[in-house]
Structure formats: C-alpha cells, structure tokens
Amino acid sequence: PRRVAARGASRTMGGGRKFLYPKYVWSPSGGYWPNPPGAMRNTAFVIMGMSAIAAMVFMVSASKERRYRPPHWHIPSQRWCKHAKEDDPSLP
C-alpha cells in the first residue's frame, strides 16, 4: 500500500488555512489572528513609560535610604545612597 499525502499538507503547518470568522467579534486579546499595526510602537511606549517610572522610584528610594546602624559588610546600594557617608563613616 502506497501512502499519499494530502494536497498542500507538506507545505502548510499549524492546522491549515485560516477559517472564515465574523468581522464584528471584539475581544481584549485582539480577536482572531491579531496583528495590530501599531503593536511595536505601543510596546515601545509602554517600555519607555515603565522605565521612566522605575527611574523615578529608584531616585526617590536612593534619596530616602538611611542606615542608622552601620552594616557589618558592604551593601551594593551604598554606592548610590545619598546618606551613605554619614551613616557609615568607614566608607571611602
């Protein structure tokens, strides 16, 4: 018995062709086969916004960080802490 592949089966992967779907369907994930035109631009805007917020949180955190007792070993955040020299006099 000789096996014959279905026509086009060797060229397509992932379940075959796209099927017909109603154009009025809306979903938060984009519906069937989402490919919004501004997705990369919107992703870049979100990344820039989150980076700006993270930078502001970092700056506020570094300005408010205090150590009332000097640590027994070096802590990496002492490199950018505003009050590191006054809180730990052993720092260079």
Side-chain angles (χ1 to χ4, degrees):
R2 184 174 164 206
R3 291 188 175 166
V4 178
R7 185 189 307 186
S10 63
R11 288 178 278 160
T12 62
M13 294 185 71
R17 298 182 315 190
K18 294 181 178 180
F19 55 86
L20 296 176
Y21 60 93
K23 301 291 185 190
Y24 58 87
V25 172
W26 181 89
S27 73
S29 62
Y32 299 100
W33 303 292
N35 190 10
M40 291 182 69
R41 183 197 61 182
N42 293 343
T43 303
F45 285 154
V46 168
I47 290 172
M48 288 188 313
M50 291 177 70
S51 299
I53 290 170
M56 287 188 281
V57 167
F58 174 80
M59 290 171 45
V60 168
S61 174
S63 69
K64 294 182 182 282
E65 181 177 352
R66 294 301 303 254
R67 300 191 188 280
Y68 297 108
R69 289 181 14 191
H72 297 290
W73 55 84
H74 176 70
I75 297 174
S77 67
Q78 288 179 313
R79 280 185 255 147
W80 55 77
C81 178
K82 181 179 177 182
H83 303 285
K85 294 236 182 200
E86 29 182 287
D87 291 343
D88 188 5
S90 66
L91 286 176

